[in-house]
Amino acid sequence: SQKIEQNSEALNIQEGKTATLTCNYTNYSPAYLQWYRQDPGRGPVFLLLIRENEKEKRKERLKVTFDTTLKQSLFHITASQPADSATYLCALGGGGNKLTFGTGTQLKVEL
Amino acid sequence: KAGVTQTPRYLIKTRGQQVTLSCSPISGHRSVSWYQQTPGQGLQFLFEYFSETQRNKGNFPGRFSGRQFSNSRSEMNVSTLELGDSALYLCASSKLAGTSWGYEQYFGPGTRLTVT
């Protein structure tokens, strides 16, 4: 069955450093991959979308890579700030807008 | 531009009852998807509607159903509620239906359903 793995342990980093979050998947050939941010008590917020024929996408301090051979996506936040503290979810899609989500990684940026 | 709105925000129901949740997408968005979020299973896709037609369906029992109206507003219904249906139900809208390549989705704040 399809499996999406994100680091279940929280990631704690210092302000100003680069946070790198990992999303690995098995038994799946997604056409695209998305990253979302979720704060407690709120719905997920869209951050980036990358398609299977793209290697890398950037948006301001965010960068995502997509390696379909390794079946892995990396999500980077550069110059991290305490306001970046949240749970980050990767989601894979293969048909229409149906998304299969990972369990998320909690990021905490400390002063 | 107003975001996705969901009503009600909180709901408490008893086992065996049924419930209807409502979602109003962002103006101009015609695709509406529903997700269930629980601590144990995370976010799971329920179904997607576009132009009043169900385009995709997740692996949930037939007790879970939905519909979309001509103004793109959507409702989902859960009949014969079970304790395990307690969850945060999220609605997401997207401008387009997506074919093999999907589009970014905008989520509402969710409806917190508690079944006792």
Side-chain angles (χ1 to χ4, degrees):
Chain A
S1 62
Q2 298 169 356
K3 196 173 180 182
I4 303 170
E5 288 183 339
Q6 294 187 253
N7 193 339
S8 58
E9 290 181 16
L11 178 63
N12 294 333
I13 64 167
Q14 269 192 318
E15 183 180 19
K17 301 290 186 185
T18 296
T20 298
L21 285 67
T22 305
C23 176
N24 295 301
Y25 59 92
T26 55
N27 298 325
Y28 203 147
S29 296
Y32 62 93
L33 186 149
Q34 301 186 17
W35 282 88
Y36 288 82
R37 167 190 173 136
Q38 188 172 26
D39 293 284
R42 294 176 174 264
V45 174
F46 171 80
L47 296 174
L48 283 168
L49 180 155
I50 186 165
R51 305 196 189 282
E52 62 178 339
N53 62 344
E54 298 173 315
K55 296 291 186 187
E56 182 179 299
K57 269 275 186 77
R58 291 175 185 260
K59 180 182 176 184
E60 297 172 353
R61 296 185 294 113
L62 309 179
K63 184 178 89 171
V64 62
T65 63
F66 192 10
D67 189 325
T68 55
T69 302
L70 288 179
K71 295 186 181 293
Q72 180 182 76
S73 174
L74 297 178
F75 179 77
H76 307 272
I77 305 175
T78 58
S80 58
Q81 306 164 0
D84 295 326
S85 299
T87 296
Y88 290 85
L89 301 156
C90 78
L92 276 58
N97 287 324
K98 174 183 177 180
L99 293 175
T100 303
F101 279 86
T103 51
T105 297
Q106 190 175 357
L107 171 67
K108 186 173 180 182
V109 181
E110 299 164 334
L111 292 169
Chain B
K1 206 175 200 182
V4 176
T5 57
Q6 292 187 245
T7 57
R9 290 294 311 279
Y10 303 91
L11 206 48
I12 299 175
K13 289 286 189 178
T14 304
R15 267 182 304 174
Q17 287 186 314
Q18 77 165 21
V19 67
T20 299
L21 310 181
S22 182
C23 171
S24 292
I26 291 172
S27 177
H29 286 196
R30 295 168 62 195
S31 167
V32 174
S33 299
W34 288 88
Y35 292 83
Q36 181 196 65
Q37 187 172 30
T38 60
Q41 299 297 319
L43 267 158
Q44 293 187 285
F45 174 82
L46 282 156
F47 26 66
E48 178 196 5
Y49 286 88
F50 181 82
S51 292
E52 301 178 67
T53 301
Q54 187 180 88
R55 289 179 55 91
N56 272 301
K57 190 175 188 308
N59 296 324
F60 279 81
R63 300 185 296 107
F64 292 82
S65 63
R67 60 176 175 167
Q68 186 181 36
F69 303 95
S70 58
N71 61 358
S72 294
R73 192 178 69 85
S74 177
E75 288 182 346
M76 69 162 280
N77 185 279
V78 188
S79 62
T80 320
L81 284 166
E82 300 177 359
L83 293 178
D85 296 333
S86 294
L88 181 67
Y89 289 89
L90 291 157
C91 163
S93 76
S94 185
K95 205 169 190 179
L96 300 170
T99 51
S100 55
W101 284 357
Y103 296 90
E104 60 198 69
Q105 297 189 37
Y106 296 85
F107 283 80
T111 293
R112 172 74 62 185
L113 172 64
T114 302
V115 182
T116 61

